[in-house]
Amino acid sequence: MVHLPKQVSLHLSAKINKKFVFEGLEHLGELLGASYDDGLVVTTKTGAVAHCRGLPVEGRWPCQQVAEPLPTPLRAGCAAMLPGGTLRAAVSLEEDDGVLLLHAGLDGKWTPVGEVSLPHHSHHRFSFERRGAELYISSPHGALKWHIGTLQ
């Protein structure tokens, strides 16, 4: 199941009123996170990042991998498409208590651009706001918002 911020869920539910399947994600692993802008950007447990353009048509939503795999093993992850087609991702690795922020240019190669430690070692979920300028981090202990801005 993909969890999206409430405003995105309401926006999409008004446009998507029936069941659909993702195409092109079958062998990329379990979904970890998603963000929505001009389509859905999904992140998987294997580190794959794929873009599902537009909205589903006739019950199908085609997706295509858009970058090199993220570092693994992932505990949590989410990516967002930035204006101009570059990507931003936030990941939490299995052996680390922090959040690593990465940027990928049009070549799809990831570069670390920031890191922050999290107060509790637990299961976190990530979500970017629509343009990737803010990262929302939630856990059983609470939630926080990291204003990233144009960090690249």
Side-chain angles (χ1 to χ4, degrees), residues 19-43:
K19 293 182 181 182
F20 64 90
V21 295
F22 290 115
E23 291 183 335
L25 301 181
E26 299 84 1
H27 304 290
L28 298 181
E30 173 188 349
L31 293 182
L32 284 182
S35 63
Y36 182 80
D37 191 0
D38 182 26
L40 197 65
V41 178
V42 297
T43 307

Side-chain angles (χ1 to χ4, degrees), residues 68-71 87-91 93 96 99-105 107-116 146 148 151-152:
E68 291 183 349
L70 292 162
L87 295 163
R88 174 171 288 159
V91 298
L93 301 173
D96 198 3
V99 177
L100 177 62
L101 188 65
L102 301 133
H103 177 83
D107 62 359
K109 296 182 187 301
W110 294 106
T111 303
V113 293
E115 188 171 7
V116 65
W146 180 9
I148 299 165
L151 182 65
Q152 293 184 21

